[in-house]
Amino acid sequence: MLPVLPLQTLGQRIDTLFNNLIAGGVAFAGDLLVFVATVVVFYLLGRIVVVPVVTRLLKARNVQPTLAKPARKLTLAAVVFVAVAVGFAIAGFGDLLTSLATIAAALTLAIGFASQDVIGNLVAGVFLIADPKVRIGDWVEWNDEKGIIEDISFRVSRVRTFNNELVTVPNSELANTAITNPVAKDKLRVPFTFGVGYGDDLDHAQDVIIEEAERHDDILDEPAPSTRVTELADSYVGIQSRFWIDSPSRSDWAKVRSEYVQAVKERCDAEEIDMPYPHQQLLGGIDVEMQGGEVEAPADD
């Protein structure tokens, strides 16, 4: 049989428990206030002191934006981590920190199994950032897509297409795909095939094509423009012109090529060099069956 406590003793125990709860709540509120204040102070110090110092160091060493942006993000993440860790230590939340670390490890393991694609993109992002041949501002081509890299983060990259569309590409797609960088060495080779008639002087036509390339201000003298006969089509002889542009953007490349092709066409017209276009001639006959017999009516076209 349970002992029956006097009402006075029971009331004292309730008061003691209530006072302990209040004291514990006040102490926790004080520790929480210390924690928040510590985190804020160390975070602000990091933002005001550490991040600008890292930014200046990156600029002083002429670090490419491809590496500079992730470095600043990692620095800010480190500032937040240190601020939270110092806040836990000063507030005396050591046991709570241990518990949170255990919970975080379990959550990380569960999330890792559930998001393997995300982890793959993170790993691919690290390789892309470390690759000196892939940089922000580069003109790249992959999977029949073209564009200028505007940003490379740890999960995705953002590419501005030549239609002014911003495409978000998973890093794993770029890392696992053959990427073409046509301006990797700050020059772009532009090929274009002109069709010349079979009856024309091919040497003269090639001279005209090279001369017009040499006259254009935006076409480089070194490497020098060149031509070669590349095909014998049904209605023309294909002469491929190859010339170089220095550090072009998409708009520069399209503008220079358009001006050059127009200049060659006008020069060929002036010097009566035939530039035929493909055409087809249909030949055959038509059989017409009439009531009185069969009559064949040939058609010339």
Side-chain angles (χ1 to χ4, degrees), residues 234-249:
D234 293 336
S235 58
Y236 65 87
V237 178
I239 300 178
Q240 185 184 78
S241 170
R242 298 187 301 173
F243 57 93
W244 298 80
I245 304 174
D246 187 19
S247 298
S249 66

PDB file of all heavy atoms in Angstrom, residues 234-249:
ATOM      1  N   ASP A 234      27.638  17.711-106.592  1.00  0.00           N
ATOM      2  CA  ASP A 234      26.955  17.544-107.872  1.00  0.00           C
ATOM      3  C   ASP A 234      27.039  18.795-108.741  1.00  0.00           C
ATOM      4  O   ASP A 234      27.177  18.701-109.961  1.00  0.00           O
ATOM      5  CB  ASP A 234      25.489  17.181-107.637  1.00  0.00           C
ATOM      6  CG  ASP A 234      25.335  15.803-107.011  1.00  0.00           C
ATOM      7  OD1 ASP A 234      26.266  14.986-107.175  1.00  0.00           O
ATOM      8  OD2 ASP A 234      24.305  15.554-106.349  1.00  0.00           O
ATOM      9  N   SER A 235      26.956  19.961-108.108  1.00  0.00           N
ATOM     10  CA  SER A 235      26.894  21.183-108.904  1.00  0.00           C
ATOM     11  C   SER A 235      28.015  22.167-108.609  1.00  0.00           C
ATOM     12  O   SER A 235      28.071  23.237-109.200  1.00  0.00           O
ATOM     13  CB  SER A 235      25.548  21.888-108.663  1.00  0.00           C
ATOM     14  OG  SER A 235      25.384  22.174-107.266  1.00  0.00           O
ATOM     15  N   TYR A 236      28.931  21.847-107.704  1.00  0.00           N
ATOM     16  CA  TYR A 236      29.996  22.792-107.370  1.00  0.00           C
ATOM     17  C   TYR A 236      31.200  22.052-106.793  1.00  0.00           C
ATOM     18  O   TYR A 236      31.109  20.887-106.369  1.00  0.00           O
ATOM     19  CB  TYR A 236      29.513  23.843-106.373  1.00  0.00           C
ATOM     20  CG  TYR A 236      29.136  23.268-105.016  1.00  0.00           C
ATOM     21  CD1 TYR A 236      30.087  23.095-104.013  1.00  0.00           C
ATOM     22  CD2 TYR A 236      27.824  22.884-104.753  1.00  0.00           C
ATOM     23  CE1 TYR A 236      29.748  22.566-102.781  1.00  0.00           C
ATOM     24  CE2 TYR A 236      27.473  22.361-103.533  1.00  0.00           C
ATOM     25  CZ  TYR A 236      28.441  22.202-102.537  1.00  0.00           C
ATOM     26  OH  TYR A 236      28.098  21.672-101.322  1.00  0.00           O
ATOM     27  N   VAL A 237      32.324  22.758-106.773  1.00  0.00           N
ATOM     28  CA  VAL A 237      33.536  22.287-106.103  1.00  0.00           C
ATOM     29  C   VAL A 237      33.625  23.014-104.760  1.00  0.00           C
ATOM     30  O   VAL A 237      33.579  24.247-104.708  1.00  0.00           O
ATOM     31  CB  VAL A 237      34.779  22.571-106.954  1.00  0.00           C
ATOM     32  CG1 VAL A 237      36.044  22.126-106.209  1.00  0.00           C
ATOM     33  CG2 VAL A 237      34.678  21.894-108.304  1.00  0.00           C
ATOM     34  N   GLY A 238      33.724  22.255-103.672  1.00  0.00           N
ATOM     35  CA  GLY A 238      33.771  22.862-102.340  1.00  0.00           C
ATOM     36  C   GLY A 238      35.178  23.297-101.960  1.00  0.00           C
ATOM     37  O   GLY A 238      36.107  22.500-101.956  1.00  0.00           O
ATOM     38  N   ILE A 239      35.331  24.591-101.646  1.00  0.00           N
ATOM     39  CA  ILE A 239      36.612  25.134-101.174  1.00  0.00           C
ATOM     40  C   ILE A 239      36.401  25.605 -99.736  1.00  0.00           C
ATOM     41  O   ILE A 239      35.623  26.533 -99.491  1.00  0.00           O
ATOM     42  CB  ILE A 239      37.093  26.297-102.054  1.00  0.00           C
ATOM     43  CG1 ILE A 239      37.290  25.824-103.497  1.00  0.00           C
ATOM     44  CG2 ILE A 239      38.374  26.889-101.507  1.00  0.00           C
ATOM     45  CD1 ILE A 239      37.716  26.927-104.439  1.00  0.00           C
ATOM     46  N   GLN A 240      37.085  24.966 -98.820  1.00  0.00           N
ATOM     47  CA  GLN A 240      36.926  25.339 -97.410  1.00  0.00           C
ATOM     48  C   GLN A 240      37.948  26.404 -97.031  1.00  0.00           C
ATOM     49  O   GLN A 240      39.146  26.245 -97.232  1.00  0.00           O
ATOM     50  CB  GLN A 240      37.099  24.128 -96.493  1.00  0.00           C
ATOM     51  CG  GLN A 240      36.830  24.450 -95.027  1.00  0.00           C
ATOM     52  CD  GLN A 240      37.091  23.284 -94.106  1.00  0.00           C
ATOM     53  OE1 GLN A 240      38.237  22.978 -93.785  1.00  0.00           O
ATOM     54  NE2 GLN A 240      36.030  22.605 -93.684  1.00  0.00           N
ATOM     55  N   SER A 241      37.422  27.500 -96.489  1.00  0.00           N
ATOM     56  CA  SER A 241      38.280  28.562 -95.967  1.00  0.00           C
ATOM     57  C   SER A 241      38.395  28.395 -94.454  1.00  0.00           C
ATOM     58  O   SER A 241      37.412  28.120 -93.774  1.00  0.00           O
ATOM     59  CB  SER A 241      37.686  29.927 -96.296  1.00  0.00           C
ATOM     60  OG  SER A 241      38.366  30.951 -95.603  1.00  0.00           O
ATOM     61  N   ARG A 242      39.614  28.582 -93.918  1.00  0.00           N
ATOM     62  CA  ARG A 242      39.845  28.504 -92.484  1.00  0.00           C
ATOM     63  C   ARG A 242      40.575  29.766 -92.033  1.00  0.00           C
ATOM     64  O   ARG A 242      41.631  30.096 -92.572  1.00  0.00           O
ATOM     65  CB  ARG A 242      40.664  27.261 -92.124  1.00  0.00           C
ATOM     66  CG  ARG A 242      39.965  25.958 -92.473  1.00  0.00           C
ATOM     67  CD  ARG A 242      40.740  24.763 -91.955  1.00  0.00           C
ATOM     68  NE  ARG A 242      42.098  24.731 -92.504  1.00  0.00           N
ATOM     69  CZ  ARG A 242      43.029  23.874 -92.106  1.00  0.00           C
ATOM     70  NH1 ARG A 242      42.761  23.001 -91.148  1.00  0.00           N
ATOM     71  NH2 ARG A 242      44.230  23.888 -92.659  1.00  0.00           N
ATOM     72  N   PHE A 243      39.983  30.461 -91.072  1.00  0.00           N
ATOM     73  CA  PHE A 243      40.602  31.674 -90.549  1.00  0.00           C
ATOM     74  C   PHE A 243      40.426  31.709 -89.040  1.00  0.00           C
ATOM     75  O   PHE A 243      39.627  30.971 -88.466  1.00  0.00           O
ATOM     76  CB  PHE A 243      40.001  32.925 -91.211  1.00  0.00           C
ATOM     77  CG  PHE A 243      38.514  33.053 -91.059  1.00  0.00           C
ATOM     78  CD1 PHE A 243      37.959  33.770 -90.019  1.00  0.00           C
ATOM     79  CD2 PHE A 243      37.651  32.455 -91.978  1.00  0.00           C
ATOM     80  CE1 PHE A 243      36.588  33.892 -89.880  1.00  0.00           C
ATOM     81  CE2 PHE A 243      36.277  32.571 -91.854  1.00  0.00           C
ATOM     82  CZ  PHE A 243      35.747  33.289 -90.800  1.00  0.00           C
ATOM     83  N   TRP A 244      41.162  32.607 -88.376  1.00  0.00           N
ATOM     84  CA  TRP A 244      41.210  32.661 -86.914  1.00  0.00           C
ATOM     85  C   TRP A 244      40.744  34.019 -86.404  1.00  0.00           C
ATOM     86  O   TRP A 244      41.002  35.048 -87.019  1.00  0.00           O
ATOM     87  CB  TRP A 244      42.631  32.396 -86.423  1.00  0.00           C
ATOM     88  CG  TRP A 244      43.149  31.038 -86.791  1.00  0.00           C
ATOM     89  CD1 TRP A 244      43.654  30.648 -87.994  1.00  0.00           C
ATOM     90  CD2 TRP A 244      43.184  29.880 -85.955  1.00  0.00           C
ATOM     91  NE1 TRP A 244      44.018  29.327 -87.967  1.00  0.00           N
ATOM     92  CE2 TRP A 244      43.752  28.826 -86.720  1.00  0.00           C
ATOM     93  CE3 TRP A 244      42.819  29.628 -84.630  1.00  0.00           C
ATOM     94  CZ2 TRP A 244      43.937  27.558 -86.201  1.00  0.00           C
ATOM     95  CZ3 TRP A 244      43.014  28.368 -84.112  1.00  0.00           C
ATOM     96  CH2 TRP A 244      43.567  27.341 -84.893  1.00  0.00           C
ATOM     97  N   ILE A 245      40.043  33.969 -85.252  1.00  0.00           N
ATOM     98  CA  ILE A 245      39.580  35.182 -84.575  1.00  0.00           C
ATOM     99  C   ILE A 245      40.174  35.192 -83.174  1.00  0.00           C
ATOM    100  O   ILE A 245      40.260  34.154 -82.511  1.00  0.00           O
ATOM    101  CB  ILE A 245      38.043  35.232 -84.508  1.00  0.00           C
ATOM    102  CG1 ILE A 245      37.443  35.105 -85.909  1.00  0.00           C
ATOM    103  CG2 ILE A 245      37.560  36.522 -83.868  1.00  0.00           C
ATOM    104  CD1 ILE A 245      35.935  35.006 -85.900  1.00  0.00           C
ATOM    105  N   ASP A 246      40.550  36.365 -82.689  1.00  0.00           N
ATOM    106  CA  ASP A 246      41.195  36.484 -81.388  1.00  0.00           C
ATOM    107  C   ASP A 246      40.151  36.677 -80.285  1.00  0.00           C
ATOM    108  O   ASP A 246      39.376  37.636 -80.318  1.00  0.00           O
ATOM    109  CB  ASP A 246      42.158  37.668 -81.394  1.00  0.00           C
ATOM    110  CG  ASP A 246      42.988  37.732 -80.121  1.00  0.00           C
ATOM    111  OD1 ASP A 246      43.080  36.708 -79.424  1.00  0.00           O
ATOM    112  OD2 ASP A 246      43.544  38.808 -79.836  1.00  0.00           O
ATOM    113  N   SER A 247      40.109  35.748 -79.306  1.00  0.00           N
ATOM    114  CA  SER A 247      39.239  35.828 -78.117  1.00  0.00           C
ATOM    115  C   SER A 247      37.821  36.268 -78.465  1.00  0.00           C
ATOM    116  O   SER A 247      37.324  37.289 -77.974  1.00  0.00           O
ATOM    117  CB  SER A 247      39.838  36.799 -77.094  1.00  0.00           C
ATOM    118  OG  SER A 247      41.091  36.339 -76.669  1.00  0.00           O
ATOM    119  N   PRO A 248      37.111  35.545 -79.298  1.00  0.00           N
ATOM    120  CA  PRO A 248      35.784  36.011 -79.727  1.00  0.00           C
ATOM    121  C   PRO A 248      34.689  35.602 -78.758  1.00  0.00           C
ATOM    122  O   PRO A 248      34.761  34.601 -78.067  1.00  0.00           O
ATOM    123  CB  PRO A 248      35.594  35.278 -81.055  1.00  0.00           C
ATOM    124  CG  PRO A 248      36.300  33.970 -80.833  1.00  0.00           C
ATOM    125  CD  PRO A 248      37.467  34.265 -79.934  1.00  0.00           C
ATOM    126  N   SER A 249      33.652  36.415 -78.716  1.00  0.00           N
ATOM    127  CA  SER A 249      32.399  36.007 -78.100  1.00  0.00           C
ATOM    128  C   SER A 249      31.510  35.445 -79.209  1.00  0.00           C
ATOM    129  O   SER A 249      31.866  35.463 -80.379  1.00  0.00           O
ATOM    130  CB  SER A 249      31.716  37.199 -77.421  1.00  0.00           C
ATOM    131  OG  SER A 249      31.323  38.160 -78.400  1.00  0.00           O
TER     132      SER A 249
END
